[in-house]
């Protein structure tokens, strides 16, 4: 379609229409049975849709579950929000997503989240036990029979574990976009903005291609190129991840604290550990939240998996480097803990960790039919996948599993695709914004460029050094560019623009014996370990959580009024030192209480004492009191 610039007057007219049609959205949602969502401040609503849109049967339907946030001020339109995965539960993620965005999103737009078929409590299919077993199994290209057997076993156990199985033939994206269109029709068929992130960009493109008249505009963030086959997607994804990991390891060498903690080049540390784990798993004495240790295997599959997910953003990159550095001191606990988080298990029990925001079974139930080459014999297809992986493997020695593991699963998945991939997305009369990071391991930047180059009426914003998915991460660029077009009718200044952010987040040095030399440095070290705990970072903030400390002992965290309470029992985060006691971290945010962290610690081992450490988050001042190594603690008086 020929590119036609949109005049400011036409945009103003478009938005005035949006005001009028969005005003009655709340009434229409309530008429459909809307009610307060149980786990968020949104309004939830269900509609019934056919199980099979191609052959509707009045006696067979499923429920589409949606959560709607109504604009807090005069609405400037409606936005459909397609989350990633596939398998992400939009309604469960809705509140946290809205909270992370600039307040303009909540104030000026009606935002619709949804659980696409196969996801969520209404029609979700999942198999967490099977997924944990498969994701942690150390398969290799050198043992192809074992890899094929593992994929077959996963498919069998996954399908046995999930329910309702009868929906499996109807979970492809082509059916799901029709569900959402039925909802749009039910609310009066208003035009909408459509935002998709990661897999959600596939959903958005397919929806836009089928229903172009439904749209005010499209925003694609972390882009999937619909023209790529499974082979081309995974090879490009693996090639990109390999390059980004190399850049990350080099970034450690350039960062003073990371370089000092690593003690050698980060690449040599990673490659040495990977080679060791490929030979055989290493047994780790893993600390339990209840106290004591359990012997746990650390293997190559876990390392590769967490290395890949570490690349998703600046903070996770720094977190991974810190855990890798700990391995040079013989401490594999941080790496194994990150691995447990990535494959979705409770580190204390090794049972699948409940996660209402993601349905791993739906990931395969949607992906496999969407990308399957119809008509192939599974065994022949598996052989072809392994042959392709072997040919490409020398170009990506650190991420070989990424090349073939998921594709092998799809070779044996019981539901095959139709063999007719969607056409390339070429936009429409509405504007499209393409967002991507050049250091995105999951949806490589080449996908974004390919999609952008096909759309005459499109704008591209590239984030140098950024994460997977870049809008709503607190950066003016690209946030203000998107809001400018979507809310103010202001076109981006240029068709292609570049943003920048730090590739590597702040690196926190590992705790060392020297950190216990003074009460102040001890308190700072404990505060750092609290902040660096992946389990606490992933905690819901409500239910009690018990965490093992690296060198033994445990920490318990509980929700408190306006903050978090901690209890330490012989917690060994600093070599040679144990801490017991309690603490509270207050984040009232309204001035009703002094914000900050207070720790009351009993110290034993290489040092002895009772120390109260205080970090006032309002002023950023720190102080200590108590006794330490037989002396009263005096206020610190730093000297040059």
């Amino acid at each position: 379609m020929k590119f036609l610039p949109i005049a400011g007057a036409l945009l103003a007219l478009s938005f005035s229409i949006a005001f009028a049609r969005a005003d009655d959205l709340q009434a229409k949602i309530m008429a459909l049975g809307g009610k307060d969502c149980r786990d968020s401040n949104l309004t939830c609503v269900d509609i019934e849709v056919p199980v099979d849109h191609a052959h509707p049967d009045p006696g067979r339907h499923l429920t589409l579950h949606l959560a709607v946030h109504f604009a807090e001020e005069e609405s400037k339109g409606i936005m459909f929000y397609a989350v990633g995965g596939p398998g992400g539960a939009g309604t469960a993620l809705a509140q946290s997503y809205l909270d992370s965005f600039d307040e303009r999103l909540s104030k000026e737009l009606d935002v619709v989240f949804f659980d696409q078929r196969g996801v969520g409590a209404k029609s979700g299919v999942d198999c967490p036990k099977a997924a944990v077993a498969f994701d942690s199994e150390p398969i290799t290209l050198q043992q192809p029979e074992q890899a094929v057997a593992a994929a077959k076993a996963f498919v069998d156990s996954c399908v046995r574990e999930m329910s309702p199985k009868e929906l499996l033939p109807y979970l492809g994206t082509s059916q799901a976009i029709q569900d959402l269109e039925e909802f749009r029709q039910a609310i009066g068929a208003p035009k909408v903005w459509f935002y998709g992130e990661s897999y959600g960009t596939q959903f958005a493109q397919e929806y836009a291609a089928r229903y172009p008249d439904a749209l005010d505009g499209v925003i694609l963030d972390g882009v999937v190129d619909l023209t790529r086959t499974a082979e081309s997607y995974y090879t490009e994804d693996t090639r990109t991840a390999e390059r980004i990991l190399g850049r990350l390891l080099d970034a450690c060498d350039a960062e003073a604290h990371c370089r000092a903690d690593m003690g050698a080049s980060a690449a040599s540390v990673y490659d040495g550990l990977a080679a060791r784990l490929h030979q055989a798993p290493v047994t780790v004495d893993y600390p339990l939240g209840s106290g004591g240790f359990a012997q746990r295997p650390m293997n190559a599959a876990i390392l590769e998996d967490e290395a890949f997910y570490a690349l998703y953003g600046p903070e996770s990159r720094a977190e991974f480097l810190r855990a890798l550095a700990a391995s040079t001191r013989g401490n594999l606990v941080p790496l194994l803990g990150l691995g447990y988080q990535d494959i979705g298990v409770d580190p204390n029990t090794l049972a699948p960790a409940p996660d209402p925001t993601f349905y791993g079974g739906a990931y395969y139930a949607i992906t496999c039919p969407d990308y399957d080459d119809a008509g192939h014999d599974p065994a022949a297809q598996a052989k072809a996948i392994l042959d392709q992986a072997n040919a490409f493997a020398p170009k990506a020695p650190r991420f070989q599993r990424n090349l073939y593991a998921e594709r092998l699963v799809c070779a044996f998945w019981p539901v095959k695709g139709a063999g007719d991939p969607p056409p390339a997305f070429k936009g429409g009369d509405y504007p499209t914004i393409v967002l991507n990071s050049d250091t995105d391991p999951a949806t490589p930047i080449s996908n974004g460029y390919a999609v952008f180059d096909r759309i005459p009426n499109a704008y591209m914003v590239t984030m140098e050094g950024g994460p997977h998915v870049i809008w709503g991460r607190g950066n003016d660029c690209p946030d203000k560019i998107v809001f400018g077009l979507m809310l103010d009718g202001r076109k981006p200044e240029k068709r292609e623009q570049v943003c920048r952010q730090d590739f590597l987040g702040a690196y926190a040095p590992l705790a060392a014996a020297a950190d216990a030399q003074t009460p102040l440095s001890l308190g700072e070290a404990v505060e750092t370990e609290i902040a660096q705990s992946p389990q606490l970072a992933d905690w819901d903030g409500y239910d009690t959580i018990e965490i093992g400390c690296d060198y033994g002992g445990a920490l318990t965290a509980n929700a408190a009024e306006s903050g978090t309470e901690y209890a330490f029992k012989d917690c060994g985060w600093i070599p040679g030192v144990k801490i017991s006691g309690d603490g509270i971290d207050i984040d009232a945010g309204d001035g009703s209480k002094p914000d900050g962290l207070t720790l009351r610690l009993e110290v034993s081992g290489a040092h002895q004492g009772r120390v109260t450490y205080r970090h006032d988050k309002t002023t950023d001042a720190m102080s200590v009191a108590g006794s330490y190594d037989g002396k009263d603690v005096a206020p610190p008086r730093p000297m040059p």
Side-chain angles (χ1 to χ4, degrees):
M1 185 174 293
K2 186 176 180 180
F3 173 62
L4 297 172
I6 301 177
L10 289 178
L11 275 173
L13 176 61
S14 171
F15 284 117
S16 68
I17 294 171
F19 297 154
R21 66 167 176 258
D23 283 343
D24 65 350
L25 176 64
Q26 187 166 4
K28 296 209 181 231
I29 293 294
M30 301 314 290
L32 290 171
K35 56 186 177 181
D36 292 344
C37 296
R38 189 170 62 179
D39 299 321
S40 72
N41 295 325
L42 287 76
T43 299
C44 283
V45 64
D46 295 337
I47 67 166
E48 291 186 352
V49 295
V51 169
D52 184 359
H53 286 277
H55 304 93
D57 180 344
R60 300 183 68 207
H61 62 265
L62 55 79
T63 301
L64 176 65
H65 182 57
L66 307 100
V68 183
H69 169 82
F70 301 112
E72 296 161 10
E73 298 176 353
E74 184 178 34
S75 175
K76 293 183 177 179
I78 301 170
M79 185 178 80
F80 286 174
Y81 196 125
V83 302
T91 64
L93 290 164
Q95 189 68 61
S96 62
Y97 276 23
L98 286 172
D99 291 345
S100 71
F101 275 88
D102 184 279
E103 63 181 9
R104 289 199 69 186
L105 184 68
S106 296
K107 286 184 175 180
E108 300 178 42
L109 274 184
D110 299 302
V111 186
V112 177
F113 296 86
F114 58 96
D115 294 340
Q116 75 180 78
R117 52 175 59 203
V119 173
K122 301 292 183 179
S123 63
V125 294
D126 205 1
C127 53
K129 293 179 182 178
V132 166
F134 181 67
D135 290 345
S136 57
E137 185 165 354
I139 58 177
T140 69
L141 285 172
Q142 289 70 42
Q143 296 178 298
E145 296 86 0
Q146 179 192 3
V148 169
K152 286 181 177 179
F154 166 71
V155 171
D156 290 344
S157 57
C158 180
V159 173
R160 280 198 307 270
E161 189 179 344
M162 65 173 49
S163 176
K165 300 179 183 62
E166 62 272 14
L167 291 180
L168 286 179
Y170 310 105
L171 298 184
T173 303
S174 62
Q175 294 268 8
I177 63 174
Q178 294 176 78
D179 294 342
L180 195 59
E181 177 61 9
E182 292 219 357
F183 168 75
R184 192 182 73 88
Q185 294 295 328
I187 59 172
K191 284 197 172 185
V192 300
W193 284 90
F194 205 121
Y195 171 80
E197 60 171 21
S198 192
Y199 159 76
T201 68
Q202 175 183 332
F203 194 107
Q205 290 173 75
E206 292 194 41
Y207 181 93
R210 189 173 299 183
Y211 307 110
D213 295 335
L215 299 166
D216 276 328
V218 172
I219 304 159
L220 306 175
D221 191 356
V223 184
V224 175
D225 178 6
L226 302 185
T227 69
R228 296 196 171 175
T229 64
E231 178 188 1
S232 63
Y233 181 85
Y234 279 100
T235 53
E236 179 63 13
D237 184 59
T238 304
R239 187 198 333 266
T240 300
E242 189 82 19
R243 290 171 178 168
I244 300 172
L245 179 57
R247 179 174 170 181
L248 176 60
L249 298 172
D250 289 344
C252 177
D253 297 343
E255 207 280 340
H257 293 299
C258 189
R259 183 175 65 250
D261 280 350
M262 205 70 69
S265 76
S268 67
V269 172
Y270 180 86
D271 291 339
L273 178 59
R276 179 184 173 195
L277 295 176
H278 275 295
Q279 291 295 319
V282 173
T283 299
V284 177
D285 286 331
Y286 194 85
L288 302 178
S290 57
F293 295 88
Q295 290 198 326
R296 301 280 180 74
M298 172 73 183
N299 63 39
I302 295 174
L303 178 65
E304 181 177 326
D305 190 67
E306 65 180 287
F308 183 84
Y309 285 112
L311 305 178
Y312 270 53
E315 291 74 25
S316 57
R317 293 165 192 157
E319 182 181 54
F320 174 72
L321 289 176
R322 190 174 192 264
L324 181 64
S327 73
T328 67
R329 303 182 182 185
N331 180 13
L332 287 169
V333 169
L335 274 177
L336 189 52
L338 281 177
Y340 287 155
Q341 184 181 45
D342 290 333
I343 63 177
V345 300
D346 182 324
N348 291 313
T349 65
L350 295 188
D355 183 0
T357 69
F358 186 73
Y359 287 69
Y363 176 87
Y364 290 102
I366 297 167
T367 298
C368 294
D370 277 1
Y371 284 90
D372 182 53
D373 296 323
H376 279 215
D377 170 75
Q381 193 171 358
K383 183 180 184 304
I385 290 167
L386 291 170
D387 288 345
Q388 293 161 4
N390 274 300
F392 189 81
K395 300 177 184 178
R398 292 170 173 148
F399 286 116
Q400 292 186 7
R401 182 188 173 105
N402 192 57
L403 282 167
Y404 64 90
E406 291 183 0
R407 293 188 65 201
L408 285 180
V409 169
C410 287
F412 296 100
W413 195 255
V415 178
K416 301 301 180 184
D420 53 348
F425 177 60
K426 297 181 180 179
D429 293 333
Y430 50 81
T432 297
I433 296 183
V434 177
L435 308 172
N436 232 112
S437 164
D438 69 334
T439 48
D440 180 345
T443 49
I445 187 70
S446 57
N447 283 249
Y449 292 143
V451 171
F452 169 73
D453 286 340
R454 297 188 196 105
I455 307 174
N457 191 19
Y459 304 92
M460 175 100 191
V461 181
T462 300
M463 176 68 80
E464 291 186 347
H468 172 54
V469 179
I470 64 174
W471 188 42
R473 299 297 183 96
N475 297 311
D476 285 348
C477 180
D479 289 11
K480 289 187 175 180
I481 297 172
V482 176
F483 282 132
L485 178 63
M486 187 165 56
L487 300 180
D488 303 325
R490 184 177 64 251
K491 293 190 299 181
E493 187 174 297
K494 300 291 183 181
R495 281 201 74 215
E496 293 189 62
Q497 298 181 85
V498 175
C499 311
R500 287 195 178 99
Q501 72 176 95
D502 291 337
F503 169 70
L504 181 63
Y507 180 87
L510 292 171
D515 290 319
Q517 289 299 314
T518 72
L520 182 62
S521 62
L522 173 93
E524 289 181 283
V526 173
E527 182 175 11
T528 295
E529 294 305 314
I530 290 173
Q532 291 296 313
S533 168
Q535 292 155 280
L536 284 175
D538 205 37
W539 178 43
D540 62 13
Y542 297 101
D543 300 321
T544 299
I545 184 172
E546 294 179 330
I547 300 168
C549 304
D550 287 8
Y551 301 105
L555 162 69
T556 301
N558 288 288
E561 183 181 0
S562 303
T564 305
E565 293 179 340
Y566 302 108
F568 305 90
K569 184 176 181 181
D570 295 327
C571 179
W573 269 333
I574 301 172
V577 173
K578 300 286 187 182
I579 59 169
S580 297
D582 59 52
I584 187 167
D585 194 350
I586 295 175
D587 185 18
D590 57 6
S592 61
K593 297 180 181 180
D595 288 353
L597 175 67
T598 302
L599 300 173
R600 294 171 289 270
L601 306 176
E602 296 184 16
V603 186
S604 60
H607 298 273
Q608 309 283 324
R610 292 175 176 267
V611 174
T612 298
Y613 167 83
R614 168 75 179 155
H615 185 178
D616 187 322
K617 302 293 179 64
T618 304
T619 64
D620 207 28
M622 294 170 286
S623 61
V624 286
S627 61
Y628 202 65
D629 288 341
K631 299 179 181 179
D632 289 339
V633 173
R637 295 184 175 183
M639 295 289 288

